[in-house]
Amino acid sequence: MGAQSAPRNKFFRRPSTLAERNFIADALRTETVGGALLLIAAVVAVIWANTAWSDAYHDLRDFRIGPEALNLRLSLGTWAADGLLAVFFFVAGIELKRELVVGDLRNPAQAVLPVAAAACGMLTPALFYFAVNAGGGSPDGWAIPTATDIAFALAVLAVIGTNLPSALRSFLLTLAVVDDLGAILIIAIFFTDSVNFLALAASFALLVVFALLQRFRVRGWWCYVPLALVIWALMHESGVHATVAGVAMGLLMRVVPDRNERTSPAEHVEHLVRPVSAGLAVPIFALLSAGVAVSGPVLADVFTERPTLGIMIGLIAGKVVGIFVGTWLVARFTRAQLSDDLTWWDVLGMSMLAGIGFTVSLLISELAFTDDPTLTEQAKAAVLVGSVLAAGAASIVLRIRNNTYARVCAEENRDDDGDGIPDVYQADADRLRDEKRGHS
């Protein structure tokens, strides 16, 4: 019996601390699964909302549950947007903290390009939206095309980019993490109508307690889970979007392990929470948010109405122009340099991929047009169409680049004589030998 249980215990043993070079690869594998689940949930929502059972879908989304005394009797759609997405942003906050402390953002020379790309990739779509809506339309939706969906973008890249350089994945991941921080700041600053300063101050006070618990190495879920729930509830009561609480707690996690620790608290918690975020929180949000009508008239409105057209152009063109041109200008006029493993064609494809703005764009659509449900649904349809078009365009460019890298890799690994040594290296050795003979 004892001999049989050893392999089982080894199988379920908690993984050791990840090396920095493996962190991005592991994150990509997890997000790929999350992206697939997110896609399935979105497709189910769209199909469900366009069938004879659409009333059941809307009844489910609008069903209210929660304690009335705490002002938390909310619809399931609101619970998904305010509650479940807080888990998603908590993981994003941990990712950002890790990048700032031990990752690419720690080194300013490496951080300049992806940070500049993220900033330009948020500013330019907003400018495109304002340009389309100038002299008419609604300016309220400017923030919708500014967001990039981590799960979807990385999932698409993983599927079509098996031979693409890892530097491209690193660049996209860093860009997307910074983009998430920008999105949460936009939500906190521009989509907070009124603030309950007492509740907000109490929430910040408990965030200080959270930080002190991390500082003094206090452990135990029994301490952090209730505290996190109270912080979230107070943030929600304050009027500031409750997802801010998630990203704030993520940024407060300790990411560097002590000498006697196998893993840092951030890595351990992320290991536990990420499956909940990727496999439950984000897909449920997509299921309850992506169910929009896609009939002929609605699709016609997407391509003709100024707000929806501005959203699509912002996602498809604004992201590409902002990220690609911003990256090129920073590389051209500063000391920052593009990785030797990347070409500008790779950056172009990645810029197109960043136009997938699903999760956060849907959230901002609900916040931007709260007084116009019809425009909210049209904006969501524009997000879906724009994201699909951006993913399609990026897939074409990146597939071409992937095939190019595959041919280079195949050429480097050719072994026509079957001696176990790639011909390219053998040819180099033969050339050097001939040169030595010529000199002698």
Side-chain angles (χ1 to χ4, degrees):
M1 294 294 291
Q4 294 178 352
S5 62
R8 178 181 169 187
N9 292 337
K10 183 177 180 180
F11 180 81
F12 286 102
R13 187 184 303 164
R14 187 172 60 189
S16 61
T17 303
L18 297 174
E20 184 59 28
R21 62 179 179 272
N22 294 328
F23 173 74
I24 293 176
D26 292 339
L28 284 172
R29 284 195 292 269
T30 305
E31 294 292 355
T32 301
V33 175
L37 295 175
L38 179 58
L39 177 60
I40 293 171
V43 171
V44 170
V46 172
I47 294 175
W48 190 358
N50 288 273
T51 64
W53 297 282
S54 60
D55 289 341
Y57 173 82
H58 291 100
D59 289 341
L60 174 66
R61 185 179 65 184
D62 298 334
F63 181 76
R64 302 179 72 84
I65 189 173
E68 185 72 45
L70 298 178
N71 292 328
L72 289 176
R73 188 167 184 79
L74 311 172
S75 67
L76 291 181
T78 303
W79 274 113
D82 291 11
L84 293 180
L85 278 194
V87 179
F88 167 78
F89 279 110
F90 174 71
V91 175
I94 292 178
E95 287 181 338
L96 180 59
K97 178 67 172 292
R98 185 182 182 95
E99 291 294 328
L100 288 169
V101 177
V102 296
D104 290 338
L105 296 182
R106 177 186 59 177
N107 186 343
Q110 295 180 1
V112 167
L113 283 183
V115 170
C120 295
M122 299 187 76
L123 176 62
T124 308
L127 295 177
F128 273 55
Y129 181 91
F130 281 125
V132 173
N133 286 269
S138 172
D140 297 335
W142 63 271
I144 297 173
T146 63
T148 294
D149 190 283
I150 293 179
F152 260 159
L154 294 181
V156 172
L157 184 64
V159 170
I160 66 177
T162 53
N163 292 288
L164 292 173
S166 59
L168 187 64
R169 293 176 172 87
S170 177
F171 195 112
L172 177 61
L173 180 61
T174 305
L175 181 152
V177 169
V178 176
D179 186 282
D180 271 347
L181 178 63
I184 203 68
L185 289 175
I186 287 175
I187 291 172
I189 296 172
F190 295 100
F191 295 100
T192 300
D193 296 329
S194 59
V195 178
N196 182 334
F197 288 101
L198 181 61
L200 184 62
S203 180
F204 277 119
L206 292 183
L207 283 172
V208 172
V209 173
F210 188 98
L212 290 175
L213 292 176
Q214 286 287 296
R215 173 68 177 81
F216 291 108
R217 277 51 177 174
V218 176
R219 293 180 175 272
W221 66 267
W222 52 268
C223 178
Y224 287 100
V225 172
L227 180 61
L229 292 175
V230 175
I231 291 172
W232 177 88
L234 288 170
M235 191 69 72
H236 183 274
E237 179 65 21
S238 72
V240 177
H241 201 270
T243 51
V244 174
V247 75
M249 286 184 281
L251 289 170
L252 292 175
M253 294 295 297
R254 182 165 57 85
V255 298
V256 178
D258 293 333
R259 291 184 178 180
N260 62 338
E261 292 178 325
R262 297 180 61 190
T263 61
S264 67
E267 186 177 346
H268 175 63
V269 172
E270 182 186 13
H271 177 73
L272 297 175
V273 176
R274 184 181 286 275
V276 178
S277 172
L280 184 67
V282 176
I284 289 179
F285 169 78
L287 179 65
L288 296 176
S289 298
V292 298
V294 289
S295 60
V298 172
L299 291 178
D301 289 340
V302 168
F303 288 94
T304 56
E305 296 294 328
R306 289 194 178 192
T308 52
L309 192 60
I311 292 170
M312 279 206 312
I313 293 177
L315 288 173
I316 299 171
K319 281 288 186 181
V320 176
V321 173
I323 293 174
F324 184 82
V325 175
T327 304
W328 184 86
L329 289 174
V330 172
R332 174 68 177 80
F333 295 105
T334 70
R335 295 183 178 180
Q337 294 181 346
L338 191 66
S339 171
D340 293 336
D341 296 331
L342 298 179
T343 70
W344 288 107
W345 283 106
D346 299 328
V347 177
L348 178 63
M350 184 203 64
S351 303
M352 294 176 175
L353 197 61
I356 302 175
F358 190 82
T359 304
V360 181
S361 292
L362 290 178
L363 172 61
I364 298 178
S365 296
E366 296 181 352
L367 300 175
F369 303 118
T370 53
D371 298 330
D372 192 339
T374 301
L375 190 52
T376 299
E377 296 299 301
Q378 292 175 344
K380 289 183 177 182
V383 169
L384 295 177
V385 174
S387 297
V388 169
L389 293 177
S395 298
I396 294 173
V397 174
L398 291 177
R399 175 59 69 179
I400 294 173
R401 297 300 303 157
N402 187 74
N403 292 339
T404 300
Y405 284 111
R407 287 194 298 270
V408 172
C409 183
E411 186 65 27
E412 290 179 348
N413 292 322
R414 281 183 58 187
D415 184 19
D416 292 338
D417 54 13
D419 62 354
I421 301 175
D423 295 341
V424 63
Y425 299 114
Q426 192 168 13
D428 291 340
D430 293 341
R431 186 174 62 254
L432 289 173
R433 184 171 58 252
D434 293 340
E435 290 177 355
K436 289 181 178 179
R437 288 176 180 175
H439 289 302
S440 62

